[in-house]
């Protein structure tokens, strides 16, 4: 039995569709209910919906053999997992954004508001820039508007939210997309099953390119 | 006579492994809980985690609760041509745990073979690694790799240290898509890129992997490392663990310390590697020593995760007594213990105690 952690939401639904096309369907997942675990014993697969930022935890701790999560989560938490495929889904970028009239005064400590503390810290450390990190859990965009921070480090998809808040991207840190990850120990004991799934999904990704 | 059923997985493993290591001439090594902090500062990158718990002793010296066993063992060995020192240990180390980012006490058992080591010693240590896992669980896997091959192929590709560091991290995660992008970014030749990708895509049964690697090990260093790995695999083929031992180059370690065979062991049901080992001759060189060394550690605290025998009861019999019946309770308790039953005598029922049978001796209670 392969346990798959899927991120709740639109991305997870797209990923499930890929698994379904790969021959790992589980019809009960489409029923309209509040269940979180779905199993197709004949196909040897069990899916569960989890919060997108928790997928890597389920996989690293072995509760899931494989899972799909954003590169942002992998960069932020550095879980010890295999990153087997870039699914080319959920494409966006991790970027630095600021108010349109922002001027980066190198003489002052840069105040950075973000949910992604480690990514922001690593990015500015590589530039030897002194920063003051302000960890926020949501509505990051309002931090520069209210003077809480000079810039924000956040995920930018279309840029609409930034635009509506009079912000713009100053610099792209890294492109983000969904990745198929696997628990390292599970991979040793379920090699063939996991390889079969990965190969079938890889074909779909390559055909979509 | 001790009833083995009362042992936890990790306790059972300690005794079984110590006995195994003694058979192969590894002598137990007992070390102090503390070491001078300097020892770790000088070899910070060798440690699994560079965070160390420090404190000042009564004379003001800065000491550390040991985060590692190997460095202390090396300090206590000497170089002797043609000889090796073999030690085994069972110690607690204090490290920051990867997933929780908190300090954790980790119970480790393992062995080190330090000195003029040859292929037979390397074989012995790797085979003992596999045998150790087999003593703990029937379903295990031991993945072997060779840092000599990995570093020779990366050195051929580029001399940029940052490239090599990033490439090693991606190889460890079997991340082919980003390895390709990294090679492209550093303008690595197609031939070298393909060799690096082969390291990631080729894993599994030893003969098959060695055949696939043959074509990419071109430099003298790579060929030397390949020859050593092949020789080791030939010896391992003759053991009863040959089906559990696989080659997998995602097992990597710091190139500045590990120059040869590296390996990791896994037990089915435990989500991370329980055994980690390798040849760390370069660490000894950095310490001004001539010897080479190989060893491994098993993280016993992880064995808690293995399914053990489930026990539905804490005691066989719970005896309840009061002032009037305490002497009868004492006699009853003695009788039951002589019958090899576990007993707890109490004045009332403890809320968390699970018992198979209740013997209520209190006045006015039914018996």
């Amino acid at each position: 039995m392969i346990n798959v952690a899927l991120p709740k939401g639109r991305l997870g639904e797209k990923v499930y569709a890929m698994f379904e096309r790969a021959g790992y369907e589980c019809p009960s997942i489409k029923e309209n209910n509040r269940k979180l675990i779905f199993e197709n014993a004949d196909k040897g697969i069990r899916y569960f919906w989890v919060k997108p930022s928790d997928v890597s935890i389920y996989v690293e701790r072995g509760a899931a053999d494989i899972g799909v999560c954003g590169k942002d989560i992998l960069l932020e938490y550095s879980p010890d997992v295999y990153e087997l495929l870039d699914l080319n889904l959920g494409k966006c970028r991790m970027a630095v954004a600021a108010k349109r009239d922002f001027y980066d005064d190198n003489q002052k400590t840069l105040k950075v508001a973000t949910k992604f503390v480690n990514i922001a810290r690593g990015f500015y450390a590589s530039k030897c820039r002194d920063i003051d990190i302000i960890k926020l859990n949501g509505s990051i965009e309002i931090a520069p508007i209210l003077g809480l921070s000079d810039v924000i480090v956040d995920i930018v998809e279309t840029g609409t939210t930034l635009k509506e808040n009079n912000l713009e991207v100053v610099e792209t840190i890294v492109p983000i997309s969904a990745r198929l990850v696997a628990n390292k120990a599970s991979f040793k004991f379920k090699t063939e099953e996991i390889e079969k799934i990965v190969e079938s999904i890889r074909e779909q990704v390559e055909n979509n390119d | 006579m001790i009833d083995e059923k009362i042992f936890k997985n990790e306790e059972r493993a300690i005794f079984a492994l110590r006995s195994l290591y003694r058979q192969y001439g590894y002598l137990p090594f007992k070390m102090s809980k503390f070491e001078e902090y300097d020892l770790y500062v000088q070899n910070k990158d060798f440690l699994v985690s560079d965070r160390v718990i420090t404190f000042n002793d009564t004379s003001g010296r800065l000491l550390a609760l040991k985060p590692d066993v190997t460095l202390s063992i090396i300090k206590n060995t000497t170089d002797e041509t043609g000889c090796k020192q073999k030690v085994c240990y069972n110690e607690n180390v204090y490290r920051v745990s990867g997933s929780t980012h908190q300090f954790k006490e980790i119970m480790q058992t393992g062995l080190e073979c330090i000195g003029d080591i040859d292929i037979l010693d390397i074989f012995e240590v790797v085979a003992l690694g596999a045998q150790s896992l087999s003593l703990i669980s029937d379903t295990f896997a031991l993945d072997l790799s060779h840092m000599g091959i990995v570093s020779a192929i990366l050195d051929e590709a580029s001399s940029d240290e940052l490239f090599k560091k990033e490439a090693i991290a991606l190889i460890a995660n079997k991340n082919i898509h980003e390895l390709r992008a990294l090679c492209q970014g550093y303008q690595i030749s197609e031939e070298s890129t393909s060799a690096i990708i082969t390291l990631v895509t080729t894993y599994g049964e030893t003969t098959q992997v060695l055949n696939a690697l043959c074509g990419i090990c071109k430099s003298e260093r790579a060929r030397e490392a390949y020859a050593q790995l092949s020789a080791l695999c030939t010896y391992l083929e003759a053991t009863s663990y040959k089906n559990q031992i696989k080659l997998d180059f995602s097992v990597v370690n710091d190139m500045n310390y590990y120059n040869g065979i590296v390996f990791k062991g896994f037990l089915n049901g435990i989500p991370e590697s329980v055994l980690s080992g390798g040849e760390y001759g370069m660490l000894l060189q950095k310490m001004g020593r001539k010897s080479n060394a190989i060893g491994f550690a098993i993280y016993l605290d992880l064995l808690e995760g293995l399914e053990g025998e489930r026990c539905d009861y804490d005691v066989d019999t719970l005896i309840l007594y009061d002032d009037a019946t305490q002497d009868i309770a004492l006699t009853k308790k003695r009788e039951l213990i002589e019958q090899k039953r576990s007993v707890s005598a109490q004045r009332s029922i403890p809320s968390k105690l699970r018992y198979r049978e209740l013997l209520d001796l209190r006045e006015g209670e039914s018996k």
Side-chain angles (χ1 to χ4, degrees):
Chain A
M1 179 69 70
I2 298 290
N3 292 300
V4 188
L6 293 175
K8 267 189 213 165
R10 264 176 43 214
L11 173 66
E13 283 160 21
K14 280 187 192 170
V15 172
Y16 169 72
M18 291 181 97
F19 276 83
E20 196 176 48
R21 284 196 291 275
Y24 297 92
E25 71 278 6
C26 185
S28 59
I29 209 165
K30 291 186 171 163
E31 287 165 13
N32 193 14
N33 58 33
R34 288 176 170 233
K35 268 172 72 177
L36 295 171
I37 302 178
F38 304 89
E39 185 178 316
N40 184 344
D42 295 339
K43 297 281 179 179
I45 201 133
R46 184 191 292 136
Y47 296 99
F48 34 91
W49 295 116
V50 299
K51 198 174 166 185
S53 56
D54 289 343
V55 169
S56 66
I57 300 173
Y58 281 84
V59 175
E60 186 181 27
R61 296 278 185 142
D65 300 308
I66 56 174
V68 171
C69 63
K71 182 68 184 175
D72 50 325
I73 299 301
L74 298 175
L75 288 170
E76 181 62 18
Y77 300 108
S78 309
D80 189 19
V81 294
Y82 286 139
E83 188 185 320
L84 300 175
L85 267 184
D86 180 349
L87 298 181
N88 279 338
L89 287 177
K91 280 185 168 182
C92 51
R93 56 188 167 144
M94 185 65 68
V96 180
K99 284 204 286 190
R100 287 212 177 104
D101 58 354
F102 168 70
Y103 170 73
D104 189 0
D105 182 356
N106 280 321
Q107 296 179 45
K108 287 202 306 198
T109 301
L110 189 71
K111 287 187 282 178
V112 183
T114 185
K115 251 198 283 191
F116 302 95
V117 172
N118 294 326
I119 295 176
R121 198 171 278 140
F123 175 69
Y124 285 107
S126 72
K127 299 173 137 222
C128 299
R129 184 79 164 94
D130 184 31
I131 59 163
D132 178 13
I133 290 250
I134 302 155
K135 161 92 168 118
L136 295 177
N137 297 303
S139 305
I140 318 286
E141 294 83 2
I142 62 168
I145 301 167
L146 300 177
L148 178 64
S149 73
D150 300 313
V151 296
I152 61 169
V153 166
D154 205 8
I155 288 174
V156 179
E157 207 172 330
T158 57
T160 315
T161 320
L162 291 182
K163 218 177 270 173
E164 283 173 5
N165 287 289
N166 207 26
L167 301 177
E168 63 183 8
V169 169
V170 177
E171 210 171 347
T172 295
I173 298 179
V174 65
I176 304 287
S177 56
R179 309 295 162 99
L180 179 69
V181 296
N183 175 272
K184 289 189 172 179
S186 296
F187 194 82
K188 310 295 161 199
F189 299 104
K190 298 178 179 178
T191 316
E192 276 177 37
E193 296 101 306
I194 295 176
E195 273 177 340
K196 216 172 133 195
I197 296 174
V198 171
E199 272 323 301
S200 170
I201 297 208
R202 189 196 307 276
E203 276 170 27
Q204 293 182 45
V205 174
E206 282 166 7
N207 289 339
N208 287 341
D209 280 348
Chain B
M1 199 61 185
I2 302 172
D3 176 6
E4 277 202 27
K5 275 188 197 155
I6 66 165
F7 286 144
K8 293 186 200 166
N9 288 327
E10 56 273 30
E11 290 166 336
R12 200 173 294 125
I14 289 173
F15 294 119
L17 296 177
R18 188 181 301 159
S19 154
L20 171 70
Y21 303 155
R22 286 299 292 266
Q23 267 188 305
Y24 282 82
Y26 290 81
L27 301 178
F29 185 92
K30 171 85 185 135
M31 61 200 83
S32 154
K33 263 195 167 42
F34 324 125
E35 275 281 2
E36 295 257 3
Y37 178 60
D38 267 5
L39 177 69
Y40 304 116
V41 175
Q42 285 159 15
N43 303 287
K44 216 172 87 188
D45 295 337
F46 180 74
L47 304 176
V48 175
S49 127
D50 59 1
R51 307 261 295 279
V52 179
I53 303 176
T54 57
F55 62 97
N56 288 98
D57 77 351
T58 47
S59 59
R61 285 183 315 161
L62 188 59
L63 297 183
L65 271 176
K66 47 174 205 300
D68 168 84
V69 173
T70 309
L71 287 168
S72 307
I73 293 179
I74 293 173
K75 251 183 32 177
N76 284 286
T77 57
T78 47
D79 301 331
E80 264 180 275
T81 313
C83 302
K84 43 239 156 187
Q85 277 149 296
K86 295 171 160 191
V87 294
C88 61
Y89 60 85
N90 179 43
E91 295 284 336
N92 285 332
V93 294
Y94 302 86
R95 285 181 191 160
V96 172
S97 144
S99 49
T100 62
H101 304 287
Q102 299 291 320
F103 276 108
K104 203 176 162 199
E105 183 181 61
I106 299 167
M107 203 202 305
Q108 264 191 9
T109 198
L111 56 84
E112 310 289 347
C113 180
I114 301 169
D116 208 349
I117 67 171
D118 56 26
I119 187 72
L120 290 185
D121 300 307
I122 296 173
F123 163 63
E124 179 180 274
V125 171
V126 175
L128 277 172
Q131 203 173 341
S132 302
L133 295 172
S134 77
L135 285 175
I136 302 169
S137 168
D138 295 334
T139 333
F140 70 92
L142 188 81
D143 279 1
L144 268 184
S145 163
H146 199 301
M147 284 311 292
I149 295 180
V150 177
S151 64
I153 286 176
L154 290 178
D155 283 344
E156 274 172 63
S158 168
S159 56
D160 192 310
E161 289 303 317
L162 189 62
F163 164 76
K164 287 189 263 185
K165 199 177 159 196
E166 286 181 33
I168 289 250
L170 294 172
I171 291 171
N173 290 342
K174 291 190 187 285
N175 188 338
I176 303 169
H177 42 279
E178 284 182 16
L179 253 180
R180 278 212 178 91
L182 181 76
C183 289
Q184 216 170 359
Y186 278 86
Q187 294 174 330
I188 306 297
S189 72
E190 256 184 46
E191 194 186 1
S192 288
T193 303
S194 150
I196 296 169
I197 299 291
T198 306
L199 281 181
V200 183
T201 51
T202 317
Y203 52 85
E205 198 259 314
T206 53
T207 327
Q208 202 185 318
V209 175
L210 285 171
N211 287 339
L213 281 184
C214 197
I216 61 164
C217 293
K218 288 179 180 156
S219 69
E220 200 184 327
R221 260 178 65 210
R223 278 204 306 274
E224 253 175 49
Y226 179 85
Q228 191 192 40
L229 185 62
S230 304
L232 174 65
C233 289
T234 310
Y235 283 120
L236 292 169
E237 271 293 301
T239 67
S240 50
Y241 316 112
K242 62 176 181 185
N243 294 329
Q244 281 83 17
I245 297 175
K246 303 270 160 62
L247 288 182
D248 190 325
F249 287 88
S250 71
V251 177
V252 285
N253 222 321
D254 193 330
M255 287 201 294
N256 294 316
Y257 295 96
Y258 291 88
N259 52 339
I261 300 289
V262 285
F263 49 101
K264 271 191 194 301
F266 298 86
L267 299 176
N268 199 4
I270 297 182
E272 54 192 301
S273 64
V274 295
L275 181 149
S276 178
E279 219 183 318
Y280 50 91
M282 284 164 86
L283 170 67
L284 278 103
Q285 275 176 31
K286 278 178 200 282
M287 294 169 94
R289 300 276 301 274
K290 287 187 212 130
S291 297
N292 193 2
I294 183 166
F296 64 77
I298 296 176
Y299 308 114
L300 293 170
D301 54 316
L302 295 176
L303 304 188
E304 265 186 13
L306 276 181
E307 293 248 330
E309 268 180 52
R310 224 188 97 180
C311 193
D312 294 327
Y313 303 102
D314 301 319
V315 289
D316 291 321
T317 308
L318 169 64
I319 300 175
L320 292 177
Y321 66 95
D322 52 20
D323 289 345
T325 57
Q326 62 186 24
D327 290 344
I328 309 169
L330 186 62
T331 315
K332 260 290 173 210
K333 188 171 155 187
R334 206 174 288 143
E335 276 174 23
L336 288 166
I337 287 171
E338 275 168 13
Q339 291 165 28
K340 307 275 181 225
R341 308 280 299 251
S342 56
V343 189
S344 177
Q346 307 266 358
R347 285 181 180 268
S348 58
I349 301 178
S351 56
K352 279 188 78 179
L353 189 78
R354 299 170 306 165
Y355 49 89
R356 197 188 296 269
E357 166 196 62
L358 176 69
L359 189 59
D360 197 343
L361 302 174
R362 293 174 299 182
E363 290 240 318
E365 303 291 338
S366 58
K367 296 185 182 162

